[in-house]
Amino acid sequence: MLRLILCALWLAPLSSQAAEWPAYSGDLDEFDNIQRLPSGEGPARLVLGDNNGRIHVYEERDHTYTGVWDSDYLEGAVAGVFVLDINDDQLDEIIAYTDQGRVYYFDSQDYTLLWSNSPNEYTRITSLTIGDIDDDPQPELVFCADGRLVVYDGRDQYEQWRSDQTDLTAHQILIGDVDGDDEDEIVLNDGYVFDARFFDLEWQSPEPFGERMGLLDLDEDLIPEVIGEFQGRYLRIFDIDLRREKSLSR
């Protein structure tokens, strides 16, 4: 975006009063509830989950997007949507989860329901991510449900593990090697760090990592730091291998 703004300034007329300054229009990739669908040689498609408990598919037609499919009610507001091969069949699926504890798989081509978990399995899911944390052919669902961290087999749809902790309320989960041991960790934004292979609790920070997080190596030690965003604007940096907040002053 900075490059586009600089390019616009370079090409703008010298009379700045007559120029129209470019405005940032947002980035859909920042949203958890909208994803691009595989289109092959067909028109571009998007899948979107809404607060009313439905997911919708839109297709590009004549330079605009038209709705082509709406799901039935999914028993709770849609909290996140993913598009990937979750069941190791070499085809992408639509995975959606709701804040009321439901998880759904849909075919990404004809939108048929492939699987959903039991209505009474979980009461509430506060966050969910998907990643291969055990080196088998398919990814796992990693989520916080009813105060526990849960690892769920993505292909065979069963609970592999749940934490002893019962007070976890994370709203974002990241997976990555954040302590330099060549093994991934599961990082919860409420300050917990678990080993992704053996599920040991490696660190409980005395404070959360922010409302939103990202991983980035800022000090060139080949270990990414956790970048936490607070109140939608303020950034703090956490060094997980040293178990402390990090200062970048030189």
Side-chain angles (χ1 to χ4, degrees):
M1 179 54 65
L2 178 59
R3 185 179 300 171
L4 292 175
I5 292 174
L6 292 175
C7 183
L9 293 176
W10 176 261
L11 296 175
L14 293 178
S15 176
S16 60
Q17 293 181 351
E20 292 185 7
W21 299 102
Y24 178 56
S25 58
D27 188 349
L28 291 180
D29 291 336
E30 293 292 320
F31 292 90
D32 295 331
N33 282 15
I34 185 168
Q35 299 289 335
R36 293 176 176 85
L37 284 169
S39 57
E41 298 181 357
R45 295 181 299 155
L46 298 172
V47 58
L48 178 149
D50 68 23
N51 191 58
N52 296 318
R54 300 180 189 275
I55 60 175
H56 313 271
V57 174
Y58 293 86
E59 188 175 283
E60 186 180 19
R61 297 177 182 176
D62 299 325
H63 306 292
T64 188
Y65 278 86
T66 300
V68 296
W69 178 76
D70 302 314
S71 74
D72 293 331
Y73 177 59
L74 301 185
E75 300 183 22
V78 178
V81 175
F82 303 83
V83 176
L84 50 83
D85 180 10
I86 190 65
N87 54 13
D88 195 30
D89 65 354
Q90 311 306 312
L91 299 172
D92 284 341
E93 286 77 42
I94 300 169
I95 301 96
Y97 77 97
T98 75
D99 61 352
Q100 300 299 309
R102 300 302 306 277
V103 181
Y104 299 85
Y105 295 177
F106 293 91
D107 188 289
S108 66
Q109 297 301 315
D110 61 16
Y111 316 123
T112 56
L113 178 63
L114 302 175
W115 173 81
S116 66
N117 68 330
S118 167
N120 301 316
E121 189 169 13
Y122 306 107
T123 301
R124 178 171 173 76
I125 295 177
T126 59
S127 58
L128 183 149
T129 192
I130 300 177
D132 180 11
I133 61 173
D134 57 7
D135 296 326
D136 58 12
Q138 78 282 340
E140 285 70 46
L141 308 175
V142 181
F143 54 91
C144 280
D146 303 333
R148 298 178 185 270
L149 180 64
V150 176
V151 176
Y152 211 89
D153 186 278
R155 182 184 63 186
D156 298 321
Q157 297 100 40
Y158 68 92
E159 187 178 290
Q160 295 181 226
W161 175 82
R162 63 168 56 192
S163 68
D164 294 330
Q165 291 78 12
T166 60
D167 59 346
L168 306 179
T169 58
H171 288 83
Q172 188 183 9
I173 301 172
L174 298 179
I175 298 173
D177 179 10
V178 293
D179 60 7
D181 64 354
D182 295 324
E183 297 286 349
D184 282 341
E185 282 74 43
I186 301 170
V187 182
L188 311 185
N189 75 302
D190 53 359
Y192 290 81
V193 180
F194 290 85
D195 179 89
R197 181 173 294 275
F198 301 107
F199 310 128
D200 300 322
L201 177 62
E202 294 190 356
W203 184 41
Q204 180 180 350
S205 169
E207 53 188 337
F209 297 140
E211 290 88 25
R212 295 201 305 170
M213 302 180 295
L215 301 182
L216 185 65
D217 180 12
L218 293 174
D219 55 7
E220 301 179 353
D221 65 353
L222 304 181
I223 304 172
E225 283 73 46
V226 173
I227 315 299
E229 183 181 74
F230 293 78
Q231 301 178 32
R233 63 185 70 185
Y234 305 113
L235 298 182
R236 296 170 64 183
I237 302 162
F238 297 89
D239 201 322
I240 304 302
D241 59 315
L242 297 180
R243 307 288 193 266
R244 61 175 174 80
E245 187 173 354
K246 188 178 187 67
S247 172
L248 293 182
S249 59
R250 298 180 182 275

